[in-house]
Amino acid sequence: MLQCKRVVNDVLHTVDYVSPTERVIFQTCERERHSVVFQMGTADAERALTVAKLIQNDIAAIDINMGCPKEYSTKGGMGAALLLCPEKIEMILSTLVKGISKPITCKIRILPSLTETISLVKLIEKTGVAAIAVHGRSKNERPQHPVHCDVIKAISQAVSIPVIANGGSQEFIRQFQDISAFRSVTSASSVMLARAAMWNPSVFRPEGMLPVETVIRDYIAYAVQYDNHYTNTKYCLCQMLRDQLESPLGKRLHAAQSTLEICEVFEMSDFYESCRVAQKAKKADLQSVGLVAALENDDAEDRNIISLPIRFDKRNYMSQITPKMLLLEWCRKRKLPQPVYHTVQRPVDKFFQSVVKVDEMQYASTLWDKSKKLAEQSAAIVCLHTLGLTEIKMNESDFAQKRKRKLQCQEDEGTRSLKEEHNKKLHQNGSEHRPLIQDATTFANQSGTHN
């Protein structure tokens, strides 16, 4: 989040926090601005405050994650790793409480002993946080272990701030009525759900849960409307399907590699297409920036750009063979003009995006790159992919021939320079002799070298 730029997305009516690699790290909208709580993983008070100040006008509150036991979190000193560092907990929470006006909360797991746990929550209470969420399991316990409702109850009785009980999915909570039962047994102020909500978000409906099939279609509609990344959409749908993952439907979902393919699995491709048409029309009506604005100022032809979210990764190519080289060789074999690249730089973060023109068609990646060279390679990949040339390879003879041409050009250039320098000296010395070096062939023969 420290690297993100706040971008108002007028097409989707969202506020996007976008990383330098064009990945949307956090996205919200006006509808949820007064209720969404941003949970942050952090191990540093000042860095946390910087992010909090960045997002505070788009959220209702900020929560610090002190309960995640996963290695990707704990190895950075975040999540459950903070439970062993009470001084750091105090510093982070106090800094945030004093630094911004929005409520600050945190979520913890219980410690090995009740005494240690009560001592920690009292320290947290003194920092001025608005509430504390407690997952009733220790760092090493997992969902299959019983949730310690007695410890959550003891915490609720030990502090005056609201306590949010967590960890009751499946063991206690299967429907809406179970939420109040879990709240009662823990004496908590409220209840937090994770797994039960992922399985069927309508668990929060007092009228009763909706069929999961209905919820899935509603969720996909939101995912399409807000252009959610397909990997996240797919993950959430897998949580909803649960026991059906091995069914034909589940297997088709698992194989899906785009939002469109997900929609096809659930027979919603028409809805997908209608949303995309509406979004493109909306985008066309808005004043664009960066590449779009630059190209639209040129001429109407430049607006017909085929684009894909593809980025160049040099690990996928031989050290001497790049997408640009493959595309150039392909054009030469078909006696087409060589590819022409038009690259622009975005002022906000100095990233680059390139459009390549091949055979009167234009191609570009929707992802911006850190350098002009990388942007051009990405554009070349889009072209190769669109033309169905993703499997194209430059054979050894092609590469050897290209290398030979390059060396010959270097040799000719060096010979010309040497010839010009020698003739210049002869002229300065008033020599009547003919030039020693006449051309590349003479030089090669006289020196006895052959390429």
Side-chain angles (χ1 to χ4, degrees):
M1 284 296 292
L2 284 170
Q3 303 177 49
C4 287
K5 299 289 184 182
R6 182 182 185 273
V7 178
V8 177
N9 189 329
D10 291 318
V11 176
L12 303 178
H13 301 292
T14 60
V15 174
D16 302 345
Y17 286 85
V18 185
S19 73
T21 59
E22 289 294 295
R23 179 186 173 195
V24 178
I25 304 299
F26 175 57
Q27 182 182 62
T28 187
C29 63
E30 181 61 28
R31 180 177 174 182
E32 67 180 16
R33 183 161 65 94
H34 298 293
S35 57
V36 65
V37 178
F38 182 89
Q39 188 185 62
M40 184 191 311
T42 185
D44 184 273
E46 292 305 317
R47 290 163 64 89
L49 181 60
T50 300
V51 173
K53 288 181 176 179
L54 173 67
I55 65 171
Q56 63 177 330
N57 294 327
D58 294 316
I59 46 90
I62 290 177
D63 183 81
I64 301 301
N65 184 340
M66 300 181 180
C68 180
K70 300 294 185 179
E71 184 183 2
Y72 66 79
S73 184
T74 57
K75 70 180 180 182
M78 301 180 290
L82 286 172
L83 297 176
L84 302 178
C85 306
E87 298 85 2
K88 187 175 288 187
I89 288 177
E90 184 176 18
M91 176 63 71
I92 292 172
L93 295 178
S94 297
T95 299
L96 289 172
V97 169
K98 296 173 183 176
I100 68 169
S101 59
K102 294 297 175 70
I104 304 298
T105 64
C106 68
K107 180 187 175 186
I108 68 167
R109 282 182 174 242
I110 63 176
L111 296 176
S113 73
L114 179 59
T115 301
E116 291 176 283
T117 304
I118 298 298
S119 176
L120 176 62
V121 296
K122 286 188 173 181
L123 178 146
I124 291 173
E125 181 181 26
K126 290 179 181 178
T127 65
V129 295
I132 178 171
V134 180
H135 184 162
R137 294 183 178 86
S138 67
K139 175 184 175 182
N140 296 322
E141 291 179 322
R142 294 296 179 266
Q144 63 267 28
H145 296 103
V147 59
H148 300 279
C149 294
D150 56 331
V151 178
I152 301 177
K153 184 174 182 177
I155 294 172
S156 300
Q157 296 170 344
V159 297
S160 59
I161 58 175
V163 172
I164 306 168
N166 175 241
S169 294
Q170 191 170 14
E171 185 178 345
F172 280 89
I173 302 169
R174 295 176 181 271
Q175 56 186 346
F176 178 80
Q177 289 72 19
D178 298 332
I179 297 176
S180 58
F182 184 57
R183 176 185 174 188
S184 177
V185 76
T186 57
S187 297
S189 303
S190 55
V191 172
M192 174 186 289
L193 299 184
R195 289 173 297 146
M198 291 289 288
W199 296 332
N200 191 327
S202 67
V203 69
F204 295 107
R205 292 181 77 248
E207 304 86 354
M209 288 195 296
L210 296 170
V212 69
E213 294 79 12
T214 301
V215 175
I216 283 176
R217 294 183 68 84
D218 288 345
Y219 174 71
I220 292 175
Y222 278 124
V224 173
Q225 290 167 5
Y226 287 98
D227 197 22
N228 194 44
H229 197 281
Y230 86 90
T231 56
N232 179 255
T233 302
K234 181 176 173 179
Y235 174 82
C236 293
L237 291 173
C238 286
Q239 297 297 310
M240 296 181 202
L241 283 180
R242 298 182 69 195
D243 298 336
Q244 300 181 54
L245 285 177
E246 293 303 316
S247 69
L249 180 70
K251 291 179 179 179
R252 287 179 61 202
L253 172 63
H254 187 71
Q257 294 299 311
S258 68
T259 299
L260 175 57
E261 290 182 11
I262 291 174
C263 289
E264 290 173 345
V265 171
F266 294 93
E267 299 181 349
M268 294 181 65
S269 55
D270 288 344
F271 175 81
Y272 173 89
E273 294 296 346
S274 64
C275 282
R276 286 294 176 262
V277 169
Q279 288 170 359
K280 288 180 180 179
K282 177 70 174 178
K283 187 174 182 179
D285 290 338
L286 297 171
Q287 180 66 38
S288 300
V289 295
L291 178 67
V292 175
L295 293 176
E296 285 183 344
N297 289 335
D298 290 339
D299 53 65
E301 180 186 47
D302 287 335
R303 289 194 290 270
N304 298 319
I305 300 172
I306 298 173
S307 59
L308 294 170
I310 295 176
R311 179 172 283 113
F312 170 62
D313 186 344
K314 63 180 181 182
R315 292 173 298 183
N316 296 331
Y317 296 86
M318 293 173 55
S319 59
Q320 299 293 335
I321 301 178
T322 65
K324 285 183 66 176
M325 184 183 295
L326 292 170
L327 184 57
L328 178 61
E329 288 299 307
W330 183 81
C331 290
R332 281 177 172 165
K333 286 182 177 180
R334 282 150 186 79
K335 297 182 180 180
L336 296 173
Q338 70 179 33
V340 177
Y341 294 86
H342 174 61
T343 306
V344 296
Q345 187 176 34
R346 186 167 55 188
V348 65
D349 56 11
K350 307 300 182 185
F351 272 51
F352 295 84
Q353 193 173 41
S354 185
V355 175
V356 60
K357 188 173 183 179
V358 176
D359 196 20
E360 301 305 318
M361 295 295 292
Q362 297 183 104
Y363 309 87
S365 172
T366 59
L367 306 179
W368 293 67
D369 285 290
K370 294 181 179 180
S371 71
K372 181 175 180 290
K373 290 182 178 180
L374 291 175
E376 291 178 350
Q377 297 289 3
S378 296
I381 297 176
V382 173
C383 179
L384 291 170
H385 184 87
T386 304
L387 296 175
L389 305 175
T390 52
E391 300 300 322
I392 187 174
K393 302 293 182 183
M394 182 182 289
N395 59 42
E396 292 183 5
S397 61
D398 289 336
F399 183 70
Q401 186 66 27
K402 182 173 179 65
R403 184 68 175 166
K404 183 177 180 180
R405 286 198 303 265
K406 184 176 180 180
L407 291 174
Q408 185 64 51
C409 289
Q410 291 174 344
E411 181 183 277
D412 291 348
E413 183 64 29
T415 301
R416 282 196 297 271
S417 299
L418 186 58
K419 174 183 174 182
E420 291 171 359
E421 182 65 23
H422 183 75
N423 290 343
K424 182 178 179 181
K425 290 181 179 180
L426 288 176
H427 179 74
Q428 290 173 344
N429 295 332
S431 174
E432 297 295 330
H433 300 291
R434 69 175 178 84
L436 176 62
I437 301 174
Q438 294 178 321
D439 53 37
T441 304
T442 304
F443 173 69
N445 290 335
Q446 289 176 348
S447 62
T449 59
H450 302 278
N451 188 317

